[in-house]
Structure formats: structure tokens, C-alpha cells
Amino acid sequence: QVQLVESGGGLVQAGGSLRLSCVASGRTFSSYPMGWFRQAPGQEREFLVAIRWSGSSTYYADSVKGRFTISRDNAKNTVYLQMNSLKTEDTAVYYCAAGTIRGSPASLTANYWGQGTQVTVSS
């Protein structure tokens, strides 16, 4: 069992940056691939990025490639999402997830979800 708690969301102007954090509890955190999703009002939840337990492999959706960076610190049971060059269309609730990496192109199939953190990008 893994519990996930996100933080770091907020209001930022377009072009700005935010860093989201996700702290996990549970002894098996380091064995799980982790990732981030987002959901804007009226839209389906969208996969953004995933990282393997070692941190050696990452997988990005085209919508955030080059602007967002995922990293993890297994010693701190934490995964991060650095978001740069934010756009108004990045406004959404951002969710941390733990699960398995599947598919081509690869994405994360989540077994555990955090409660989400709101990111609002103003023009």
C-alpha cells in the first residue's frame, strides 16, 4: 500500500515556474514507477510523465516535453515535477501516481493516486 500527498501547487503567471512535490508513505515506494497526471475542468485525466524506480528512464507526453522535468529521491520517498515556461492551458489539478509503465508510447497505469494539487496559470 502506498499513500501519496502532493504539494507545491498555486497561482503563477504565464511563463513562470512551479515545482510540485509528492511524498509517499509505504515501504515499497522505491520499487514503483511514479508519475504525474493532470485534469482540467471538463476534461479527462491526462498522463504527463513517468519515471522508473531507479530514475534512469523517464517518459514524457508531447504536451510537456521540454518544459516539465520529473525526478525522484528514493531516500526521501519523494517525486518532483519541475514545471517551466507555464502556459494558461497548463491550468489543472495535478495528481501524483504510483503504478506500472505500459504501452507504446509508454505511460503510467496508476495503482495509487494522490489527492491532487491545483495549478493555475494566469495570462
Side-chain angles (χ1 to χ4, degrees):
Q1 188 77 8
V2 177
Q3 290 81 42
L4 306 171
V5 179
E6 303 96 333
S7 63
L11 175 65
V12 63
Q13 287 190 327
S17 298
L18 279 177
R19 189 176 81 155
L20 306 183
S21 299
C22 172
V23 179
S25 59
R27 293 178 299 166
T28 58
F29 165 77
S30 62
S31 66
Y32 276 100
M34 301 289 296
W36 291 91
F37 292 73
R38 69 185 178 190
Q39 189 167 19
Q43 298 186 21
E44 293 190 355
R45 195 167 295 190
E46 173 192 13
F47 166 76
L48 298 179
V49 59
I51 185 169
R52 292 198 179 273
W53 71 269
S54 65
S56 60
S57 296
T58 55
Y59 309 89
Y60 289 88
D62 288 343
S63 58
V64 300
K65 196 175 296 182
R67 299 190 299 124
F68 291 10
T69 303
I70 191 171
S71 60
R72 66 188 294 164
D73 185 338
N74 290 338
K76 295 182 178 180
N77 282 7
T78 302
V79 63
Y80 304 97
L81 183 64
Q82 177 67 42
M83 306 186 294
N84 298 328
S85 303
L86 283 162
K87 305 175 183 179
T88 55
E89 52 263 44
D90 293 318
T91 295
V93 178
Y94 283 69
Y95 296 91
C96 174
T100 56
I101 293 175
R102 295 176 178 168
S104 180
S107 65
L108 188 75
T109 298
N111 298 107
Y112 305 100
W113 294 97
Q115 83 288 350
T117 185
Q118 176 71 46
V119 171
T120 303
V121 184
S122 64
S123 59

